[in-house]
Amino acid sequence: MEKQTIQSEQDIKDILKSYQLYQVMLDLPFRLNHVNCFMAEEGDGWKIIDVGLHNAETVARWNKELAQKNIKEIIITHYHPDHFGYAGGMQAKTGARLSMTKIDADMALDAWHDVFLSNLNKNYESAGIPTGIADDMTKNTAEFIERVTPYPTVDHYLKEGEHIRIGNYMYKVIHTPGHSDGLVCFYNSERNMLLSTDHILPRITPNISYWFHGDPNPLKSYLHSLEKIRSLDADLVVPSHGKPFYGANDRIDEITKHHEERLDTLLRVITNGATIYEACGKLFRKKLSIHETRFAVGETFAHLEFLRNNGDCQRVMYDGKYWYTV
Ligand SMILES: [Zn+2]
């Protein structure tokens, strides 16, 4: 089926309603300005899928949405702050059980940990990032601590192939590492519908970053996960950013092509040798905020490591920095 976005808010509402799903779009203070969370109504209570950043706006919005409702379960698709941040806060308020993958539960505990943060600065400098900018980037990461705490208690670890009820349908849990190591999508085979979370997005390509921990070749994992989803040939895709659309495989083609082009560009960029930061500057030409620079550097790093693991380039450590050359 050819890729086709559903434009009207009413159509989105109606389609989701037929799954007993309600979208809660939360504002984000970034260029990526929103995240879609979902509420699913079941006979004896509600399930929540993703919860947004822990900040005052998020808390106020959920207070309104959750009022008078029995919240049974909170399902977290991956550990990134815009999905996971308020998990512990909402769990404390509702007493709901919480499910996520073990991989991402562990990643969450790691990602804002003191030891990780103190190494981060050193790692940023090895990427060739000037000291002042590296400091700001580490500070920016640390600023997220208050937006992702308190941490929740995980009652159930989601597993590949497990079937879970969401609203009035059953979904298969599909592990699709890449955007995060433990990210899961949920697939309903009866209606050939995919809750794609951040694995497949309609307009932007999901950020694939290496941030000095976890999977050493996330782009390889991501491309493999795309092929895994391709085999479903899903019809309706409901993503965590942007509007639902039809035709998963057309979008998978576009995203795959994007990464192939980016890899080609990078090979040209590093012909005469470049640090990660230099390569990043040539790949992302527009002016980036510190927060965006973190993502751009991570994305560049992931692509360089993909090339290196493929035998397409080499990496040497010189003067405390990684240099990539063809
Ligand atoms: Zn996201």
Side-chain angles (χ1 to χ4, degrees), residues 141-171:
T141 307
E143 277 166 14
F144 274 86
I145 295 172
E146 61 182 40
R147 303 186 199 174
V148 296
T149 51
Y151 289 133
T153 303
V154 183
D155 301 286
H156 173 69
Y157 290 127
L158 295 170
K159 285 179 203 69
E160 166 78 9
E162 178 184 348
H163 287 84
I164 58 171
R165 173 171 291 282
I166 301 173
N168 51 3
Y169 287 100
M170 294 301 289
Y171 292 76

Side-chain angles (χ1 to χ4, degrees), residues 28 32 34-36 50 77-78 80-83 179 183 197-198 201 240-241:
L28 293 174
L32 178 62
H34 72 279
V35 58
N36 304 325
D50 287 343
T77 64
H78 62 294
H80 292 164
D82 52 332
H83 299 258
H179 178 66
L183 185 140
T197 72
D198 278 8
L201 300 175
S240 292
H241 306 280

